[in-house]
Amino acid sequence: MKCITVLALILSCTMGSMALVAAPNGPAVVIPTPPPAPTLSQDLTEILAMLNPIQIRQLMTRYLLNDAQFQAFVRIINSQDAFMTYMRFRSQPEVLTFLSWVRTQIMLSGGEFQLEESEEPMTIINPVPFWANTVFGWQGFANEFLLYYPDNVIRTHINMKVAQNGIFTQFWHRLNALKPVYERVIALPEAQRVAAALQKNGIDVVQLDNFIRNQFGWQMPPTLVPSTPVSSVASVEPSVAAPLVPVV
């Protein structure tokens, strides 16, 4: 009976001091508990925190109110063909599986990240009237947008998160795997009509395609990138850099 009592005391003391390790001929050393791995919500929130939505929204408002070429861009991406292209992409089995996985991870994270698109309205009042006439067409918008969108900083941060081999690594690889879906959808007739309408209005669709691909790790091999004027490529140099993260 005494043996059982002593054994119980030993086990109790051991369980109560699992974080303490006795140093040789010295006092006990406390082993710090490692912090919990970041959740997907936290990882995505870190990336969004790098953006300045107010500056980007003001830029879009200024061009939407004053620039005819940007107005044409907005009309085209809100056309029936563009809507059908978007819905075709969203309804692909691979995309539905990806979105379901992301929603599950967000719920496991506590649900603190907003997955759906924001419904913030666009104002028709120019927030900075002094700059009301400072617009330079689609290329001017693209160049100024890249001043407020830290492309290289975001890409470096993504590579760092992927290297940690946590939940974000799974997210990024799953996102990379949607590249064939993107290429399949943009080859559809309605998507081709959208591209033709953009080109007709002087909007560089190669530049736009490169930007989209670089944000999601869907870069094309250099030999397959369509030719485009040098001036167009030079204006978006941060968006056509070689991928830093291996595409899965």
Side-chain angles (χ1 to χ4, degrees):
M1 186 69 179
K2 289 183 179 180
C3 291
I4 295 176
T5 303
V6 172
L7 181 60
L9 289 173
I10 293 174
L11 288 175
S12 176
C13 293
T14 303
M15 295 299 292
S17 58
M18 288 183 66
L20 298 179
V21 176
N25 302 320
V29 178
V30 178
I31 299 178
T33 303
T39 65
L40 183 60
S41 292
Q42 293 170 334
D43 288 334
L44 296 177
T45 300
E46 287 179 8
I47 296 175
L48 289 181
M50 299 178 182
L51 304 177
N52 190 324
I54 295 178
Q55 286 183 316
I56 293 176
R57 196 177 303 118
Q58 289 178 347
L59 170 66
M60 295 177 65
T61 298
R62 175 156 53 87
Y63 268 78
L64 184 59
L65 294 177
N66 300 283
D67 189 86
Q69 198 172 38
F70 187 75
Q71 291 166 0
F73 169 77
V74 173
R75 284 195 300 271
I76 293 168
I77 64 173
N78 282 281
S79 65
Q80 182 69 18
D81 280 334
F83 176 76
M84 289 301 299
T85 300
Y86 171 74
M87 292 307 297
R88 292 277 188 123
F89 181 80
R90 283 291 297 261
S91 63
Q92 297 297 305
E94 300 95 325
V95 176
L96 292 175
T97 300
F98 171 76
L99 292 177
S100 176
W101 181 84
V102 172
R103 289 192 179 95
T104 299
Q105 296 305 316
I106 296 300
M107 291 178 62
L108 294 175
S109 300
E112 64 268 17
F113 182 80
Q114 186 68 30
L115 180 63
E116 298 299 330
E117 295 88 347
S118 172
E119 295 294 335
E120 291 188 33
M122 179 75 72
T123 177
I124 61 172
I125 305 301
N126 197 328
V128 281
F130 177 76
W131 299 103
N133 296 323
T134 312
V135 290
F136 304 98
W138 166 258
Q139 196 57 60
F141 170 81
N143 291 341
E144 192 170 345
F145 175 81
L146 290 176
L147 296 177
Y148 305 134
Y149 185 87
D151 191 33
N152 290 333
V153 175
I154 291 176
R155 208 172 311 170
T156 299
H157 184 78
I158 287 175
N159 279 273
M160 178 194 71
K161 300 298 294 185
V162 171
Q164 293 175 0
N165 203 29
I167 188 63
F168 187 84
T169 306
Q170 297 182 44
F171 168 82
W172 189 248
H173 288 171
R174 287 172 180 265
L175 184 60
N176 288 169
L178 296 180
K179 175 184 176 182
V181 182
Y182 173 75
E183 294 177 342
R184 185 165 70 235
V185 170
I186 63 175
L188 295 174
E190 51 266 33
Q192 291 297 304
R193 288 194 294 268
V194 171
L198 291 172
Q199 285 182 315
K200 183 178 179 180
N201 283 273
I203 296 167
D204 189 343
V205 294
V206 174
Q207 174 190 24
L208 187 60
D209 177 67
N210 282 338
F211 179 79
I212 294 172
R213 289 176 181 274
N214 277 286
Q215 303 319 299
F216 304 116
W218 299 338
Q219 295 87 349
M220 295 177 64
T223 56
L224 298 181
V225 175
S227 59
T228 188
V230 174
S231 58
S232 298
V233 175
S235 62
V236 290
E237 184 272 332
S239 294
V240 295
L244 300 177
V245 179
V247 176
V248 176

